Amino acid sequence: MSRVIPATGSETLHGQDTTEGDVSRRPDDASAPAPGPAVLLIPTPALAPPEPRTRRGRRRALGLVVPVALVALWALAGAAGFISPRLLPPPAAVAEAGWDFVAGESTATLPGVVPFDGAAARHVSASVARWLSGFALGVGVGVPLGLALGLSRRAGELLDPLVQALRSIPITAWLPITLVWFGLSEGAARYLVFIGALFPIVIATADSAARVPRALVDTALMLGTSRSALARRVYVPAALPGIVTGLRLGLTLGWMSVIVAELTGQTSGVGAMMFAAREIGRLDHIIVGMATFAVIGLAGDVVLRAVSRRFVAWSEG
Amino acid sequence: MTAAAGAHAIPDVLAVRDLKKSYGDVHVLDGIDLDVAPDEVLAVLGPSGCGKSTLLRLLAGLEPVDAGEIRIGDEEVGGPSPDRPMVAQGATLFPWLSLRGNLEWGPRATGHADPAAAADELLEATALTGFADVRPGQLSGGMRQRAAIAQVLANRPPVLLLDEPFGALDAQTRLRMHEWLRGLLAERPTTVVLVTHDVDEALLLGDRLALLSARPSHVVERIDVPFGAERARSTLSDPGFVALKARVLDLVLSA
Ligand SMILES: Nc1ncnc2c1ncn2[C@@H]1O[C@H](COP(=O)(O)OP(=O)(O)OP(=O)(O)O)[C@@H](O)[C@H]1O
Ligand SMILES: [Mg+2]
């Protein structure tokens, strides 16, 4: 059974750590999955070995150089009148909007109107709730399904082509049918996030379960482990590093699906705020929304990595 | 002996009758007959690819036989069992568990012994007490091999199957492992089938040798090893040992 698997194994990263200062070859970047159908991912930090503090500090500082320079250029170009504020408001205006979003005074709004000032908590919590519930459903369905695909030759033969086909459908292409099934509803939003998170989880789980060495299973049996306990005692722990890689991809893709999910008539959510801002022409609000997506998405990955680290430490040498 | 009743209820005797096995067109075993007395070490030698590993996998119940019979005591071998575990060259400890976790696995699964006590005892027997909380990935090859043998011994199996257990180790470490295994088996008498390429190893550890022919293989020669329990490194230069080794080498090479 051949599967397209994101090449995210941390083992490929070890020993690459000598390219100090070469931002384009940071070992951190190597965890980005190989480009695949419908997969567009921000490079995320890998399960990389720790590096010395000072070097890491310098690396991080270097990573800020280009963004800071771009913002400065952006501000200068705006001040010099090269960029119309209607196309790109200056950084100061965006920063101010960001402040209003987080700490501004919230005003009473009519039903159906999406607020902005002081509404960061409301929108972020709505988006995160969609994200996490869709992701949780993706884990609940994806891990068992992936185990079945990986462990049962028959299940693999039956379902692998279907999974490969479905995973090639971009999340936006799921939107119309989802709207027909669920209407403009919270359910539709969560379903879309679920679909977005599901496939990387299924595929990584199936692949890593199928790769569990036969000798490990034989040893467990020869130690008296019952066949019914094999999945729990051997396959899941042995496949866990691969499953965690799938969870990280699923979490990231789930978050990317949130913006599509909020095309389902929501009045709260970061994406909902951005679509409302587009209608009233508030580009500064839209950019604040984009920045919010970046920050929350990264934070989610950092948290998942921290939580999973102790479970997969053994596979990191 | 602290073994629970279950582990030793079966008389320790292994009988193989007219065992046959093919993989597709590859005819591997062609009627193997073997008898191993209780607590005896049978060393199995034979040309590469003749089916030694296949034989052990069948004895371990990891693969079905095509024809013939494997009996341990009065029980016919079915699937894998903690009563006749096999340890092969690439030690298969569970990499996510500590050494202690690995040693406790068997007794936890079978209830044949108290897990913590069995692990303590085996950590000492393998001289790995200081490594109890270390994961297998951090052990040396020799340590891992000792640990893998200890792991299956935790269930006090009446029969132990070893497939070139020290084949990947350097010569010095291998000699140390021979002495270690002899000591261990003296403390815990166990019926052992030891597959090896190394005639020294066969003569240092075996009570008897069985020589297999090339594929399709059968037993061409059975040899009693005349050295007693006091075998040690010095035995390697004993004239009787040297003569027997020469004879066995001739047989292996002409098999
Ligand atoms: N699962 C299998 N499927 C097909 N052929 C197999 C399988 N296992 C073993 N064989 C074949 O059976 C023959 C015996 O293999 P086996 O590994 O038992 O030999 P061996 O005596 O242990 O060899 P070595 O001394 O090199 O370890 C070989 O020709 C091998 O290719
Ligand atoms: Mg072999």
Side-chain angles (χ1 to χ4, degrees), chain B residues 23 26 28 46-55 63 164 197 215:
Chain B
Y23 292 105
V26 185
V28 183
S48 186
C50 74
K52 303 181 294 297
S53 297
T54 303
L55 172 64
E63 275 172 57
E164 300 189 43
H197 270 135
R215 205 156 44 80

Side-chain angles (χ1 to χ4, degrees), chain A residues 161-236:
Chain A
L162 177 66
V163 169
Q164 294 300 340
L166 291 179
R167 79 189 280 263
S168 307
I169 302 174
I171 193 67
T172 38
W174 284 93
L175 180 63
I177 199 168
T178 305
L179 288 175
V180 172
W181 286 345
F182 293 87
L184 291 170
S185 68
E186 187 63 37
R190 293 184 181 199
Y191 180 73
L192 284 166
V193 176
F194 159 70
I195 292 290
L198 178 66
F199 291 103
I201 296 174
V202 171
I203 288 163
T205 304
D207 182 65
S208 46
R211 281 169 203 262
V212 172
R214 162 103 188 259
L216 223 47
V217 177
D218 286 346
T219 300
L221 289 172
M222 292 187 293
L223 288 171
T225 311
S226 67
R227 286 191 187 271
S228 58
L230 282 180
R232 189 170 51 85
R233 305 258 357 241
V234 181
Y235 284 108
V236 169

Side-chain angles (χ1 to χ4, degrees), chain A residues 214-215 219 222-223 225 237 314, chain B residues 57 82 86 92 96 105 155:
Chain A
R214 162 103 188 259
T219 300
M222 292 187 293
L223 288 171
T225 311
W314 61 269
Chain B
R57 292 185 63 79
M86 180 180 85
T92 47
W96 59 90
W105 184 300
N155 277 325

